[in-house]
Amino acid sequence: MYEAKSKEIVLRRVREALAKSAPFLPPTPDFSSPLHPPIAEDQSIAFAQAFIANSGLFVYCDDEEDFFDQLFNLKREQQIEYLHVWEPNLQNILYQAGIDFTSTEEDFIQKAQASLTTCEALVARTGSILVSSGNAGGRRLSIYPETHMVVAKASQLVPDIKDGLQKLRDKYRENFPSMVSLVSGPSRTADIEKTLVMGAHGPKKLVLFLIDDLPH
């Protein structure tokens, strides 16, 4: 008896709802409008703040010579003996600067201690480094070594992820890289008992050297 009465009440409410006019629907959303407000401050500052918050080591360089000095000092402080560099342009400038590095597959297999690569773009809003398999560093240099170091220029800064992806599309066009990744700080996980562990699936340390190449 009670169940039948309850069922009748529900059905009556459904009929009343159907009898009413359709509710006002909001206008179609504008998907072309930005998801976030524009970055209010300098993009390099916004990137540095987000990058450091993600546990990355940010190193500002006035110019290329300053980068060489900062890299040399960091190698000495971190006692990095094996710095793997596979990109010819980086090999050339490091050779000219007198900075030791290794480029052989044998050394990489024996001791994947640290790597130095370039990148595709820097995403200011999230403090992320956009890397791809499109350069000579390939896939492994940003994943296997304990320390991944990246050298980039301030002109590579973009506000958001979509802007970084557009740079990739403009650069590679039909030959889009098979691997594109956003690196936001060192590898980490808290899967086991919610204890944060660094370097679980990749580098324990992430270092970015930002060379200021913008006009002042």
Side-chain angles (χ1 to χ4, degrees), residues 30-40 123-126 159-163:
D30 181 9
F31 292 106
S32 64
S33 62
L35 295 175
H36 306 286
I39 297 176
V123 181
R125 191 178 302 280
T126 59
D160 291 293
I161 295 172
K162 65 179 180 65
D163 304 299

Side-chain angles (χ1 to χ4, degrees), residues 26-140:
T28 303
D30 181 9
F31 292 106
S32 64
S33 62
L35 295 175
H36 306 286
I39 297 176
E41 55 196 347
D42 185 277
Q43 285 192 148
S44 60
I45 297 175
F47 174 87
Q49 290 174 337
F51 184 76
I52 293 170
N54 290 334
S55 302
L57 175 59
F58 179 83
V59 182
Y60 173 83
C61 305
D62 288 320
D63 49 33
E64 195 172 82
E65 290 296 325
D66 190 24
F67 160 63
F68 296 143
D69 293 339
Q70 300 274 14
L71 176 60
F72 180 84
N73 291 334
L74 185 65
K75 278 190 63 186
R76 182 177 56 187
E77 292 171 4
Q78 301 287 335
Q79 298 181 339
I80 296 174
E81 181 180 358
Y82 293 90
L83 176 62
H84 299 277
V85 183
W86 291 350
E87 297 175 55
N89 59 324
L90 283 182
Q91 292 176 350
N92 182 52
I93 63 173
L94 292 185
Y95 177 79
Q96 298 294 331
I99 297 177
D100 293 332
F101 62 90
T102 182
S103 60
T104 67
E105 182 73 15
E106 182 179 357
D107 285 336
F108 182 78
I109 294 174
Q110 291 179 353
K111 187 64 175 179
Q113 186 180 11
S115 64
L116 177 67
T117 71
T118 58
C119 66
E120 302 291 355
L122 304 173
V123 181
R125 191 178 302 280
T126 59
S128 303
I129 303 171
L130 183 63
V131 298
S132 83
S133 58
N135 60 35
R139 299 167 181 263
R140 293 182 294 168

Side-chain angles (χ1 to χ4, degrees), residues 120-193:
E120 302 291 355
L122 304 173
V123 181
R125 191 178 302 280
T126 59
S128 303
I129 303 171
L130 183 63
V131 298
S132 83
S133 58
N135 60 35
R139 299 167 181 263
R140 293 182 294 168
L141 281 191
S142 62
I143 299 175
Y144 289 163
E146 296 178 359
T147 300
H148 179 204
M149 295 188 283
V150 180
V151 57
K153 296 182 178 181
S155 56
Q156 291 180 276
L157 282 160
V158 296
D160 291 293
I161 295 172
K162 65 179 180 65
D163 304 299
L165 294 176
Q166 186 61 52
K167 283 178 69 74
L168 269 177
R169 190 167 298 280
D170 294 341
K171 178 179 178 180
Y172 293 102
R173 298 186 181 277
E174 292 81 12
N175 297 317
F176 201 81
S178 59
M179 186 279 291
V180 175
S181 178
L182 278 171
V183 183
S184 300
S187 172
R188 69 192 76 190
T189 183
D191 291 343
I192 302 176
E193 297 182 357

Side-chain angles (χ1 to χ4, degrees), residues 1-9:
M1 179 69 179
Y2 179 76
E3 292 183 0
K5 185 176 180 181
S6 298
K7 181 179 179 181
E8 182 60 33
I9 292 174

